[in-house]
Amino acid sequence: MSDQQPAVPRYQQIAEELRAAIASGEYPPGSRIPGENALMQLYGVARNTARQALAVLKDAGLTEARKGSGVYVRVDRLIRRNAVKRLAAQQWGEGKSIWEADLSDQVPVAVDLAVEEVDVPKELAAVMELSLESRVWRRSRTYEVDGRPVNRAVSYLPADLVAGTAIVQPDTGPGGTYARLAEVGHAPAHFREEVRVRMPLPEEARLLDLPAATPVILIVRVARDAEGRVVEVNHMTMDATRYVLEYDFSS
């Protein structure tokens, strides 16, 4: 029985060299790396080998192809999500977006926005303390930062609370949904978030344009008003490579 290790495919060797060059800063974020033609010439390999090497880097989330321009090292700005700060009443109560607590220099772009009245999902009826015959308004959107999707959020709100308000419109106005809830006497007063991490479902990977083997962070938030009524349930699916979850509070 031979102890000899199997040879590493040439494309993987090339990918590892490029990965090391990216890690060392030889190719910093945003810089262009050698494309197929350059790799063929540099390493004396066939086009398919060069293509496979570049695919390894793309699947690892290290690079992105720009049509007609080349292959570049990805620039991914980390989003520091401070749950305590972003949900504070003084944030949305002053007409600010809760995103301003995460990114002070820009507000993410919401795309694929859909607002519709639906039957309460069976799995949420108990959480929202509603009967199965109840109706809710569902707000679905994908948030993009620097032109890349980072978060898919779907909110559910009791129909009898929000019907006729700006919450059922695409643009909820300054301060967003929570400011509008406050205007109708149901300001969020208590939040509970559950956090877990897993690999994405195919549809989640498509919506967030995730490279292979990229996990997602799942956050489910339940908001209640001062009387204890559930006023919102929000399901968030986030690119785990883009987020730092930060908790800053005093005992």
Side-chain angles (χ1 to χ4, degrees):
M1 195 170 176
S2 173
D3 292 333
Q4 186 175 3
Q5 295 293 320
V8 177
R10 187 64 176 134
Y11 75 90
Q12 288 189 357
Q13 295 176 15
I14 296 170
E16 284 305 312
E17 288 189 28
L18 290 171
R19 189 197 302 267
I22 292 171
S24 70
E26 181 179 343
Y27 296 116
S31 65
R32 185 177 177 179
I33 68 171
E36 288 181 15
N37 292 336
L39 291 179
M40 291 167 60
Q41 196 169 42
L42 185 62
Y43 291 99
V45 295
R47 181 173 299 279
N48 191 53
T49 301
R51 184 171 298 162
Q52 286 179 299
L54 292 172
V56 169
L57 298 178
K58 180 178 182 297
D59 288 345
L62 294 174
T63 62
E64 60 183 358
R66 300 179 189 173
K67 191 172 182 179
S69 179
V71 180
Y72 293 79
V73 179
R74 276 182 58 169
V75 181
D76 284 340
R77 178 166 40 153
L78 283 176
I79 302 167
R80 304 192 70 86
R81 184 184 186 276
N82 188 315
V84 175
K85 183 178 179 182
R86 76 196 312 266
L87 296 176
Q90 92 179 61
Q91 184 72 23
W92 48 264
E94 295 176 357
K96 299 177 182 178
S97 163
I98 61 176
W99 276 91
E100 291 183 45
D102 303 335
L103 294 166
S104 59
D105 59 341
Q106 73 175 111
V107 174
V109 176
V111 299
D112 298 329
L113 176 63
V115 185
E116 54 193 336
E117 187 179 5
V118 298
D119 291 331
V120 62
K122 290 182 180 179
E123 68 275 13
L124 287 184
V127 177
M128 298 186 74
E129 300 170 359
L130 297 174
S131 69
L132 290 175
E133 294 74 34
S134 299
R135 302 279 285 177
V136 294
W137 279 87
R138 179 173 62 199
R139 297 182 58 86
S140 308
R141 62 275 191 205
T142 299
Y143 291 107
E144 293 185 349
V145 174
D146 299 328
R148 297 190 62 86
V150 298
N151 184 352
R152 176 69 177 174
V154 183
S155 299
Y156 299 87
L157 304 104
D160 65 310
L161 265 187
V162 302
T165 72
I167 292 172
V168 304
Q169 302 300 319
D171 184 359
T172 54
T177 296
Y178 293 158
R180 303 293 78 75
L181 284 170
E183 290 171 355
V184 294
H186 292 277
H190 177 81
F191 299 96
R192 180 174 183 268
E193 290 191 341
E194 293 184 351
V195 182
R196 64 190 180 105
V197 178
R198 62 162 167 76
M199 298 308 295
L201 301 174
E203 178 66 4
E204 294 167 341
R206 183 189 69 80
L207 286 170
L208 294 176
D209 192 22
L210 298 174
T214 301
V216 291
I217 299 171
L218 304 177
I219 298 180
V220 178
R221 179 169 68 237
V222 178
R224 295 177 181 270
D225 65 13
E227 301 301 318
R229 180 174 182 178
V230 175
V231 295
E232 182 210 37
V233 173
N234 192 338
H235 285 245
M236 292 157 275
T237 307
M238 301 147 60
D239 179 350
T241 67
R242 300 298 305 275
Y243 277 86
V244 173
L245 303 186
E246 181 178 290
Y247 297 89
D248 182 8
F249 52 87
S250 302
S251 60

